[in-house]
């Protein structure tokens, strides 16, 4: 049997070039297949025994990491909501023309954490006083939005905003939008669990991790100061 090396040596250059080009394209597709995955519009139906909530508060890498750390939260998905364009992708949303904001869809167990507490976490895990901006990220896709699914959730969310304002956590007025949750598009696969998968990435190290640590400190202090208020 001829060796692989001998076989390649006997092939015409044109065929060899085709073989190497095909191999390169196959490798390229494998490396970037996650980035070209079609956006998914998710059904807003949680599993039995769970509920859902959605929040936009800047970079969804940061938000996902924060909400995943909360006891009672079972799953967090990064995606897009609050816009008018069908099937938005990351590049399109970043043009600031689709109306969408980077959003996290939070699945939670209501026997372990309630919607009010998730709203507190929302208001404490980002600066809700900055218009179309969160940290170094600017644009409407980074604006603060609290999504609700019922009149009761809207009432609860607004009561928590008043509670936060009374505590004077933030010096400036809160500019958070309130929107009914109508559609949620799951972002590309490479955005999911980004911090866990890319702990040494420069943005993660410079922005995401410090923001998470600030939230932890702020949230712990707030829980101590509110004396059981819910």
């Amino acid at each position: 049997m001829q060796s692989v090396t001998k076989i390649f040596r006997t092939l015409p250059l044109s065929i060899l070039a085709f073989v190497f080009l095909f191999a390169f394209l196959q490798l390229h597709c494998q490396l970037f297949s996650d980035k070209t995955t079609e956006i998914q519009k998710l059904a807003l139906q949680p599993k039995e025994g769970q509920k859902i909530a959605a929040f936009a508060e800047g970079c969804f890498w940061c938000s996902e990491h924060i909400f995943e750390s909360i006891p009672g939260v079972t799953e967090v998905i990064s995606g897009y909501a609050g816009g008018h364009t069908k099937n938005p992708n990351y590049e399109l949303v970043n043009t600031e023309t689709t109306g969408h904001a980077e959003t996290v869809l939070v699945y939670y167990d209501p026997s372990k954490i309630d919607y009010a507490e998730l709203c507190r976490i929302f208001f404490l895990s980002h600066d809700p006083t900055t218009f179309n901006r969160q940290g170094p990220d600017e644009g409407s896709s980074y604006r603060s939005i609290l999504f609700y699914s019922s009149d009761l959730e809207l009432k609860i969310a607004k009561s928590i905003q008043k509670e936060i304002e009374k505590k004077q956590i933030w010096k400036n007025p809160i500019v958070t939008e309130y929107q009914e949750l109508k559609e949620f598009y799951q972002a590309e696969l490479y955005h999911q669990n980004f911090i866990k998968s890319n702990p040494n990435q420069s943005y993660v190290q410079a922005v995401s991790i410090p923001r998470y640590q600030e939230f932890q400190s702020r949230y712990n202090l707030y829980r101590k100061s509110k004396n059981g208020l819910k």
Side-chain angles (χ1 to χ4, degrees):
M1 182 181 292
Q2 287 183 303
S3 68
V4 173
T5 302
K6 288 182 179 179
I7 292 173
F8 271 97
R9 283 177 179 173
T10 59
L11 290 174
L13 288 177
S14 59
I15 296 179
L16 281 174
F18 175 81
V19 170
F20 283 117
L21 178 60
F22 180 80
F24 173 79
L25 290 175
Q26 286 291 99
L27 177 60
H28 187 272
C29 287
Q30 290 176 3
L31 288 173
F32 294 97
S33 60
D34 281 353
K35 293 189 178 184
T36 57
T37 299
E38 187 177 355
I39 302 301
Q40 283 187 293
K41 182 179 177 180
L42 299 186
L44 301 177
Q45 292 293 331
K47 297 177 182 178
E48 186 176 353
Q50 295 184 9
K51 289 186 176 182
I52 58 172
F55 306 100
E57 48 171 47
C59 173
F60 49 24
W61 297 348
C62 305
S63 306
E64 180 188 67
H65 186 58
I66 288 169
F67 280 98
E68 282 180 339
S69 72
I70 304 301
V73 171
T74 58
E75 185 180 7
V76 183
I77 297 176
S78 291
Y80 315 110
H84 50 76
T85 302
K86 299 296 182 183
N87 301 314
N89 59 33
Y90 185 63
E91 287 74 19
L92 191 58
V93 170
N94 277 346
T95 66
E96 313 297 343
T97 61
T98 71
H100 290 88
E102 292 193 10
T103 303
V104 288
L105 187 64
V106 178
Y107 293 80
Y108 66 100
D109 182 345
S111 69
K112 297 179 180 178
I113 188 169
D114 59 20
Y115 183 71
E117 192 65 18
L118 290 174
C119 290
R120 287 191 187 92
I121 292 165
F122 165 76
F123 281 114
L124 295 171
S125 60
H126 77 299
D127 184 348
T129 71
T130 52
F131 181 71
N132 286 351
R133 179 172 184 167
Q134 197 58 219
D137 301 313
E138 293 187 68
S140 61
S141 62
Y142 299 107
R143 69 194 190 275
S144 175
I145 310 176
L146 197 156
F147 294 94
Y148 60 90
S149 298
S150 66
D151 290 341
L152 177 59
E153 285 189 351
L154 177 60
K155 182 179 179 180
I156 291 171
K158 288 192 172 182
S159 71
I160 297 302
Q161 177 178 333
K162 290 180 180 179
E163 177 188 307
I164 296 292
E165 289 171 332
K166 186 176 180 180
K167 292 286 186 178
Q168 298 183 325
I169 303 298
W170 307 105
K171 294 180 180 179
N172 297 317
I174 290 175
V175 296
T176 296
E177 295 178 21
Y178 287 87
Q179 287 193 30
E180 182 179 359
L181 182 62
K182 295 181 179 180
E183 294 180 329
F184 180 87
Y185 293 91
Q186 179 175 322
E188 296 84 342
L189 291 181
Y190 71 98
H191 286 302
Q192 309 303 325
N193 296 307
F194 190 88
I195 292 178
K196 289 182 179 179
S197 301
N198 304 274
N200 297 316
Q201 199 259 7
S202 58
Y203 182 94
V204 169
Q205 287 291 315
V207 179
S208 302
I209 299 303
R211 177 175 159 183
Y212 172 69
Q213 292 170 339
E214 288 174 9
F215 159 71
Q216 284 187 311
S217 177
R218 188 182 300 118
Y219 187 45
N220 288 335
L221 287 173
Y222 190 85
R223 292 175 68 184
K224 291 178 181 178
S225 69
K226 71 186 182 75
N227 297 320
L229 175 64
K230 284 193 175 183

Short mmCIF file of all heavy atoms in Angstrom, two decimals, residues 5-58:
data_model
loop_
_atom_site.label_atom_id
_atom_site.label_comp_id
_atom_site.label_asym_id
_atom_site.label_seq_id
_atom_site.Cartn_x
_atom_site.Cartn_y
_atom_site.Cartn_z
N THR A 5 1.98 10.08 1.97
CA THR A 5 2.94 11.03 1.40
C THR A 5 3.17 10.76 -0.07
O THR A 5 3.19 11.68 -0.91
CB THR A 5 4.28 10.95 2.15
OG1 THR A 5 4.07 11.22 3.52
CG2 THR A 5 5.27 11.98 1.58
N LYS A 6 3.36 9.47 -0.42
CA LYS A 6 3.59 9.10 -1.82
C LYS A 6 2.38 9.42 -2.68
O LYS A 6 2.50 9.86 -3.82
CB LYS A 6 3.94 7.62 -1.92
CG LYS A 6 5.33 7.28 -1.40
CD LYS A 6 5.63 5.80 -1.57
CE LYS A 6 7.04 5.47 -1.07
NZ LYS A 6 7.33 4.02 -1.23
N ILE A 7 1.19 9.17 -2.15
CA ILE A 7 -0.03 9.46 -2.90
C ILE A 7 -0.12 10.94 -3.22
O ILE A 7 -0.41 11.35 -4.34
CB ILE A 7 -1.28 9.00 -2.13
CG1 ILE A 7 -1.30 7.45 -2.06
CG2 ILE A 7 -2.55 9.51 -2.78
CD1 ILE A 7 -2.38 6.90 -1.18
N PHE A 8 0.15 11.80 -2.19
CA PHE A 8 0.09 13.24 -2.40
C PHE A 8 1.14 13.71 -3.42
O PHE A 8 0.89 14.61 -4.19
CB PHE A 8 0.28 13.99 -1.07
CG PHE A 8 -1.00 14.23 -0.34
CD1 PHE A 8 -1.40 13.38 0.68
CD2 PHE A 8 -1.82 15.30 -0.67
CE1 PHE A 8 -2.59 13.59 1.34
CE2 PHE A 8 -3.00 15.51 -0.01
CZ PHE A 8 -3.40 14.65 1.00
N ARG A 9 2.31 13.05 -3.40
CA ARG A 9 3.38 13.44 -4.32
C ARG A 9 3.00 13.16 -5.78
O ARG A 9 3.49 13.82 -6.70
CB ARG A 9 4.67 12.70 -3.97
CG ARG A 9 5.40 13.26 -2.75
CD ARG A 9 6.61 12.43 -2.42
NE ARG A 9 7.33 12.99 -1.26
CZ ARG A 9 8.35 12.39 -0.67
NH1 ARG A 9 8.79 11.20 -1.14
NH2 ARG A 9 8.94 12.94 0.35
N THR A 10 2.15 12.16 -5.99
CA THR A 10 1.78 11.79 -7.36
C THR A 10 0.58 12.57 -7.88
O THR A 10 0.26 12.50 -9.06
CB THR A 10 1.45 10.29 -7.44
OG1 THR A 10 0.37 10.01 -6.56
CG2 THR A 10 2.66 9.45 -7.06
N LEU A 11 -0.11 13.34 -7.02
CA LEU A 11 -1.28 14.10 -7.45
C LEU A 11 -0.86 15.38 -8.17
O LEU A 11 0.12 16.02 -7.78
CB LEU A 11 -2.15 14.47 -6.24
CG LEU A 11 -2.90 13.33 -5.56
CD1 LEU A 11 -3.59 13.85 -4.30
CD2 LEU A 11 -3.93 12.72 -6.50
N PRO A 12 -1.60 15.77 -9.21
CA PRO A 12 -1.33 17.05 -9.89
C PRO A 12 -1.49 18.21 -8.92
O PRO A 12 -2.27 18.16 -7.96
CB PRO A 12 -2.39 17.10 -10.99
CG PRO A 12 -2.81 15.70 -11.18
CD PRO A 12 -2.70 15.04 -9.84
N LEU A 13 -0.77 19.30 -9.21
CA LEU A 13 -0.83 20.46 -8.32
C LEU A 13 -2.24 21.04 -8.21
O LEU A 13 -2.64 21.52 -7.15
CB LEU A 13 0.13 21.54 -8.84
CG LEU A 13 1.63 21.25 -8.66
CD1 LEU A 13 2.46 22.36 -9.29
CD2 LEU A 13 1.97 21.10 -7.19
N SER A 14 -2.99 21.00 -9.28
CA SER A 14 -4.34 21.56 -9.26
C SER A 14 -5.22 20.80 -8.28
O SER A 14 -6.04 21.39 -7.57
CB SER A 14 -4.95 21.53 -10.66
OG SER A 14 -5.00 20.19 -11.14
N ILE A 15 -5.06 19.48 -8.27
CA ILE A 15 -5.87 18.66 -7.34
C ILE A 15 -5.41 18.91 -5.91
O ILE A 15 -6.22 19.01 -4.98
CB ILE A 15 -5.76 17.17 -7.70
CG1 ILE A 15 -6.38 16.93 -9.09
CG2 ILE A 15 -6.45 16.31 -6.65
CD1 ILE A 15 -6.30 15.50 -9.56
N LEU A 16 -4.09 19.01 -5.71
CA LEU A 16 -3.58 19.28 -4.37
C LEU A 16 -4.11 20.62 -3.85
O LEU A 16 -4.50 20.73 -2.68
CB LEU A 16 -2.05 19.32 -4.40
CG LEU A 16 -1.33 17.97 -4.41
CD1 LEU A 16 0.16 18.17 -4.59
CD2 LEU A 16 -1.61 17.21 -3.12
N ALA A 17 -4.12 21.61 -4.72
CA ALA A 17 -4.62 22.92 -4.32
C ALA A 17 -6.08 22.84 -3.91
O ALA A 17 -6.51 23.44 -2.92
CB ALA A 17 -4.45 23.92 -5.47
N PHE A 18 -6.87 22.07 -4.67
CA PHE A 18 -8.29 21.90 -4.34
C PHE A 18 -8.47 21.21 -3.00
O PHE A 18 -9.30 21.60 -2.18
CB PHE A 18 -8.98 21.09 -5.44
CG PHE A 18 -10.42 20.77 -5.13
CD1 PHE A 18 -11.42 21.73 -5.34
CD2 PHE A 18 -10.78 19.54 -4.60
CE1 PHE A 18 -12.73 21.44 -5.04
CE2 PHE A 18 -12.09 19.26 -4.31
CZ PHE A 18 -13.07 20.20 -4.53
N VAL A 19 -7.65 20.17 -2.75
CA VAL A 19 -7.74 19.42 -1.50
C VAL A 19 -7.45 20.33 -0.31
O VAL A 19 -8.17 20.33 0.69
CB VAL A 19 -6.78 18.22 -1.51
CG1 VAL A 19 -6.69 17.59 -0.12
CG2 VAL A 19 -7.24 17.18 -2.52
N PHE A 20 -6.38 21.12 -0.42
CA PHE A 20 -6.01 22.00 0.68
C PHE A 20 -7.05 23.10 0.89
O PHE A 20 -7.36 23.50 2.01
CB PHE A 20 -4.63 22.61 0.44
CG PHE A 20 -3.50 21.67 0.73
CD1 PHE A 20 -2.64 21.27 -0.27
CD2 PHE A 20 -3.30 21.16 2.01
CE1 PHE A 20 -1.60 20.39 -0.02
CE2 PHE A 20 -2.26 20.27 2.28
CZ PHE A 20 -1.41 19.88 1.26
N LEU A 21 -7.61 23.63 -0.22
CA LEU A 21 -8.64 24.65 -0.11
C LEU A 21 -9.89 24.10 0.56
O LEU A 21 -10.48 24.74 1.43
CB LEU A 21 -9.01 25.18 -1.50
CG LEU A 21 -10.13 26.24 -1.55
CD1 LEU A 21 -9.74 27.46 -0.74
CD2 LEU A 21 -10.45 26.62 -2.99
N PHE A 22 -10.27 22.88 0.19
CA PHE A 22 -11.44 22.25 0.79
C PHE A 22 -11.23 22.04 2.29
O PHE A 22 -12.11 22.30 3.11
CB PHE A 22 -11.72 20.91 0.11
CG PHE A 22 -12.91 20.17 0.67
CD1 PHE A 22 -14.20 20.51 0.32
CD2 PHE A 22 -12.72 19.14 1.59
CE1 PHE A 22 -15.29 19.85 0.84
CE2 PHE A 22 -13.81 18.47 2.12
CZ PHE A 22 -15.08 18.81 1.75
N ALA A 23 -10.02 21.56 2.64
CA ALA A 23 -9.71 21.32 4.06
C ALA A 23 -9.76 22.62 4.85
O ALA A 23 -10.26 22.68 5.97
CB ALA A 23 -8.34 20.67 4.19
N PHE A 24 -9.23 23.72 4.23
CA PHE A 24 -9.25 25.02 4.90
C PHE A 24 -10.66 25.51 5.14
O PHE A 24 -11.01 26.01 6.22
CB PHE A 24 -8.47 26.04 4.07
CG PHE A 24 -8.58 27.45 4.59
CD1 PHE A 24 -7.83 27.87 5.67
CD2 PHE A 24 -9.47 28.36 4.02
CE1 PHE A 24 -7.94 29.16 6.17
CE2 PHE A 24 -9.59 29.63 4.50
CZ PHE A 24 -8.83 30.04 5.57
N LEU A 25 -11.51 25.37 4.11
CA LEU A 25 -12.89 25.83 4.23
C LEU A 25 -13.65 25.02 5.27
O LEU A 25 -14.47 25.56 6.02
CB LEU A 25 -13.60 25.74 2.88
CG LEU A 25 -13.13 26.75 1.82
CD1 LEU A 25 -13.82 26.47 0.49
CD2 LEU A 25 -13.38 28.17 2.26
N GLN A 26 -13.38 23.73 5.34
CA GLN A 26 -14.02 22.89 6.35
C GLN A 26 -13.62 23.34 7.75
O GLN A 26 -14.46 23.45 8.65
CB GLN A 26 -13.63 21.42 6.14
CG GLN A 26 -14.31 20.76 4.97
CD GLN A 26 -15.80 20.57 5.22
OE1 GLN A 26 -16.63 21.35 4.77
NE2 GLN A 26 -16.16 19.55 5.96
N LEU A 27 -12.33 23.62 7.95
CA LEU A 27 -11.85 24.07 9.25
C LEU A 27 -12.45 25.42 9.59
O LEU A 27 -12.87 25.67 10.72
CB LEU A 27 -10.33 24.16 9.23
CG LEU A 27 -9.66 24.69 10.53
CD1 LEU A 27 -10.00 23.79 11.70
CD2 LEU A 27 -8.15 24.80 10.33
N HIS A 28 -12.50 26.32 8.59
CA HIS A 28 -13.07 27.66 8.80
C HIS A 28 -14.53 27.56 9.23
O HIS A 28 -14.97 28.25 10.14
CB HIS A 28 -12.95 28.45 7.50
CG HIS A 28 -13.35 29.88 7.64
ND1 HIS A 28 -14.66 30.30 7.48
CD2 HIS A 28 -12.64 31.00 7.94
CE1 HIS A 28 -14.73 31.60 7.65
NE2 HIS A 28 -13.52 32.05 7.94
N CYS A 29 -15.28 26.67 8.59
CA CYS A 29 -16.70 26.50 8.94
C CYS A 29 -16.86 25.98 10.35
O CYS A 29 -17.77 26.39 11.08
CB CYS A 29 -17.37 25.55 7.95
SG CYS A 29 -17.62 26.27 6.32
N GLN A 30 -15.99 25.08 10.74
CA GLN A 30 -16.06 24.53 12.09
C GLN A 30 -15.75 25.59 13.13
O GLN A 30 -16.39 25.69 14.18
CB GLN A 30 -15.09 23.36 12.23
CG GLN A 30 -15.51 22.13 11.45
CD GLN A 30 -14.49 21.02 11.53
OE1 GLN A 30 -13.48 21.14 12.21
NE2 GLN A 30 -14.75 19.93 10.83
N LEU A 31 -14.74 26.43 12.83
CA LEU A 31 -14.34 27.45 13.79
C LEU A 31 -15.40 28.52 13.99
O LEU A 31 -15.58 29.05 15.08
CB LEU A 31 -13.04 28.13 13.33
CG LEU A 31 -11.77 27.29 13.43
CD1 LEU A 31 -10.61 28.03 12.78
CD2 LEU A 31 -11.44 26.96 14.88
N PHE A 32 -16.15 28.83 12.91
CA PHE A 32 -17.10 29.94 12.99
C PHE A 32 -18.55 29.51 12.86
O PHE A 32 -19.42 30.33 12.68
CB PHE A 32 -16.76 30.97 11.89
CG PHE A 32 -15.44 31.63 12.11
CD1 PHE A 32 -14.31 31.16 11.46
CD2 PHE A 32 -15.31 32.70 12.97
CE1 PHE A 32 -13.07 31.77 11.66
CE2 PHE A 32 -14.08 33.30 13.18
CZ PHE A 32 -12.96 32.83 12.52
N SER A 33 -18.81 28.21 12.99
CA SER A 33 -20.18 27.73 12.83
C SER A 33 -21.11 28.32 13.87
O SER A 33 -22.25 28.66 13.58
CB SER A 33 -20.21 26.20 12.91
OG SER A 33 -19.71 25.76 14.16
N ASP A 34 -20.62 28.48 15.11
CA ASP A 34 -21.46 29.05 16.16
C ASP A 34 -21.87 30.48 15.83
O ASP A 34 -22.96 30.91 16.14
CB ASP A 34 -20.70 29.03 17.50
CG ASP A 34 -20.71 27.66 18.14
OD1 ASP A 34 -21.42 26.79 17.61
OD2 ASP A 34 -20.02 27.47 19.14
N LYS A 35 -20.95 31.22 15.17
CA LYS A 35 -21.20 32.63 14.91
C LYS A 35 -22.22 32.84 13.79
O LYS A 35 -22.78 33.91 13.64
CB LYS A 35 -19.89 33.35 14.58
CG LYS A 35 -18.94 33.42 15.77
CD LYS A 35 -17.76 34.31 15.48
CE LYS A 35 -16.85 34.41 16.70
NZ LYS A 35 -15.73 35.35 16.49
N THR A 36 -22.45 31.81 12.98
CA THR A 36 -23.39 31.95 11.88
C THR A 36 -24.72 31.25 12.17
O THR A 36 -25.56 31.14 11.31
CB THR A 36 -22.78 31.37 10.59
OG1 THR A 36 -22.42 30.00 10.82
CG2 THR A 36 -21.54 32.13 10.18
N THR A 37 -24.87 30.77 13.41
CA THR A 37 -26.11 30.10 13.78
C THR A 37 -27.28 31.07 13.68
O THR A 37 -27.20 32.21 14.12
CB THR A 37 -26.02 29.57 15.22
OG1 THR A 37 -24.96 28.63 15.29
CG2 THR A 37 -27.31 28.88 15.62
N GLU A 38 -28.36 30.61 13.09
CA GLU A 38 -29.53 31.46 12.91
C GLU A 38 -30.13 31.85 14.26
O GLU A 38 -30.18 31.05 15.19
CB GLU A 38 -30.57 30.71 12.08
CG GLU A 38 -31.77 31.56 11.70
CD GLU A 38 -32.75 30.81 10.81
OE1 GLU A 38 -32.42 29.68 10.43
OE2 GLU A 38 -33.82 31.35 10.53
N ILE A 39 -30.57 33.08 14.35
CA ILE A 39 -31.20 33.59 15.56
C ILE A 39 -32.50 32.83 15.80
O ILE A 39 -33.25 32.53 14.88
CB ILE A 39 -31.49 35.09 15.42
CG1 ILE A 39 -30.20 35.85 15.13
CG2 ILE A 39 -32.16 35.64 16.67
CD1 ILE A 39 -29.15 35.71 16.18
N GLN A 40 -32.78 32.53 17.07
CA GLN A 40 -34.00 31.81 17.43
C GLN A 40 -34.97 32.71 18.19
O GLN A 40 -34.57 33.39 19.14
CB GLN A 40 -33.67 30.60 18.32
CG GLN A 40 -33.12 29.41 17.58
CD GLN A 40 -33.00 28.23 18.52
OE1 GLN A 40 -32.21 28.22 19.46
NE2 GLN A 40 -33.82 27.21 18.29
N LYS A 41 -36.21 32.72 17.75
CA LYS A 41 -37.25 33.40 18.51
C LYS A 41 -37.81 32.38 19.50
O LYS A 41 -38.33 31.34 19.11
CB LYS A 41 -38.35 33.90 17.58
CG LYS A 41 -39.47 34.66 18.28
CD LYS A 41 -40.50 35.13 17.27
CE LYS A 41 -41.66 35.83 17.96
NZ LYS A 41 -42.69 36.29 16.99
N LEU A 42 -37.69 32.68 20.78
CA LEU A 42 -38.09 31.73 21.81
C LEU A 42 -39.55 31.91 22.21
O LEU A 42 -40.05 33.03 22.30
CB LEU A 42 -37.21 31.87 23.05
CG LEU A 42 -35.71 31.64 22.87
CD1 LEU A 42 -35.01 31.68 24.22
CD2 LEU A 42 -35.43 30.31 22.17
N ALA A 43 -40.20 30.79 22.48
CA ALA A 43 -41.56 30.84 23.03
C ALA A 43 -41.46 31.30 24.48
O ALA A 43 -40.59 30.83 25.23
CB ALA A 43 -42.20 29.46 22.95
N LEU A 44 -42.31 32.20 24.86
CA LEU A 44 -42.25 32.76 26.21
C LEU A 44 -43.06 31.90 27.17
O LEU A 44 -43.91 32.38 27.93
CB LEU A 44 -42.75 34.21 26.19
CG LEU A 44 -41.95 35.14 25.27
CD1 LEU A 44 -42.57 36.53 25.26
CD2 LEU A 44 -40.50 35.21 25.71
N GLN A 45 -42.78 30.61 27.14
CA GLN A 45 -43.45 29.64 28.00
C GLN A 45 -42.41 28.90 28.83
O GLN A 45 -41.63 28.11 28.30
CB GLN A 45 -44.24 28.64 27.15
CG GLN A 45 -45.44 29.22 26.43
CD GLN A 45 -46.53 29.66 27.39
OE1 GLN A 45 -46.67 29.10 28.48
NE2 GLN A 45 -47.31 30.65 27.00
N PRO A 46 -42.35 29.15 30.12
CA PRO A 46 -41.37 28.45 30.96
C PRO A 46 -41.76 27.00 31.20
O PRO A 46 -42.91 26.60 30.95
CB PRO A 46 -41.41 29.25 32.26
CG PRO A 46 -42.81 29.78 32.32
CD PRO A 46 -43.18 30.08 30.88
N LYS A 47 -40.81 26.24 31.69
CA LYS A 47 -41.10 24.85 32.05
C LYS A 47 -42.02 24.83 33.26
O LYS A 47 -42.16 25.81 33.99
CB LYS A 47 -39.80 24.11 32.36
CG LYS A 47 -38.85 24.01 31.18
CD LYS A 47 -37.56 23.33 31.60
CE LYS A 47 -36.58 23.27 30.42
NZ LYS A 47 -35.28 22.66 30.81
N GLU A 48 -42.66 23.70 33.49
CA GLU A 48 -43.58 23.56 34.62
C GLU A 48 -42.86 23.87 35.93
O GLU A 48 -41.75 23.39 36.17
CB GLU A 48 -44.14 22.14 34.65
CG GLU A 48 -45.21 21.94 35.71
CD GLU A 48 -45.83 20.55 35.66
OE1 GLU A 48 -45.52 19.80 34.72
OE2 GLU A 48 -46.63 20.23 36.57
N GLY A 49 -43.49 24.67 36.76
CA GLY A 49 -42.89 25.02 38.06
C GLY A 49 -41.95 26.20 37.98
O GLY A 49 -41.36 26.57 39.00
N GLN A 50 -41.79 26.80 36.80
CA GLN A 50 -40.90 27.94 36.64
C GLN A 50 -41.67 29.15 36.11
O GLN A 50 -42.78 29.04 35.62
CB GLN A 50 -39.76 27.61 35.67
CG GLN A 50 -38.82 26.53 36.15
CD GLN A 50 -37.65 26.33 35.20
OE1 GLN A 50 -37.45 27.09 34.25
NE2 GLN A 50 -36.87 25.29 35.45
N LYS A 51 -41.02 30.31 36.21
CA LYS A 51 -41.53 31.53 35.62
C LYS A 51 -40.39 32.21 34.87
O LYS A 51 -39.23 31.81 34.99
CB LYS A 51 -42.09 32.47 36.69
CG LYS A 51 -43.40 31.99 37.31
CD LYS A 51 -43.98 33.05 38.25
CE LYS A 51 -45.33 32.61 38.80
NZ LYS A 51 -45.94 33.65 39.67
N ILE A 52 -40.72 33.23 34.08
CA ILE A 52 -39.71 33.95 33.34
C ILE A 52 -39.77 35.44 33.64
O ILE A 52 -40.81 35.98 34.00
CB ILE A 52 -39.84 33.72 31.81
CG1 ILE A 52 -41.23 34.16 31.31
CG2 ILE A 52 -39.53 32.29 31.44
CD1 ILE A 52 -41.36 34.14 29.80
N ALA A 53 -38.62 36.08 33.48
CA ALA A 53 -38.52 37.53 33.59
C ALA A 53 -37.46 37.96 32.58
O ALA A 53 -36.60 37.16 32.20
CB ALA A 53 -38.11 37.94 35.00
N ALA A 54 -37.51 39.20 32.13
CA ALA A 54 -36.55 39.68 31.14
C ALA A 54 -36.08 41.08 31.51
O ALA A 54 -36.89 41.93 31.90
CB ALA A 54 -37.15 39.67 29.74
N PHE A 55 -34.78 41.30 31.36
CA PHE A 55 -34.19 42.57 31.74
C PHE A 55 -33.12 42.98 30.73
O PHE A 55 -32.31 42.15 30.30
CB PHE A 55 -33.54 42.48 33.12
CG PHE A 55 -34.46 41.97 34.20
CD1 PHE A 55 -34.40 40.65 34.61
CD2 PHE A 55 -35.38 42.81 34.81
CE1 PHE A 55 -35.24 40.17 35.61
CE2 PHE A 55 -36.23 42.35 35.81
CZ PHE A 55 -36.16 41.02 36.21
N ALA A 56 -33.10 44.25 30.38
CA ALA A 56 -32.03 44.82 29.56
C ALA A 56 -31.28 45.82 30.43
O ALA A 56 -31.89 46.74 30.98
CB ALA A 56 -32.61 45.52 28.33
N GLU A 57 -29.98 45.63 30.55
CA GLU A 57 -29.19 46.48 31.45
C GLU A 57 -27.75 46.58 30.98
O GLU A 57 -26.82 46.45 31.76
CB GLU A 57 -29.25 45.95 32.88
CG GLU A 57 -28.96 44.46 33.01
CD GLU A 57 -28.80 44.02 34.45
OE1 GLU A 57 -29.63 44.40 35.29
OE2 GLU A 57 -27.82 43.31 34.73
N GLY A 58 -27.57 46.83 29.69
CA GLY A 58 -26.22 46.91 29.16
C GLY A 58 -25.78 45.58 28.56
O GLY A 58 -26.62 44.78 28.13
#
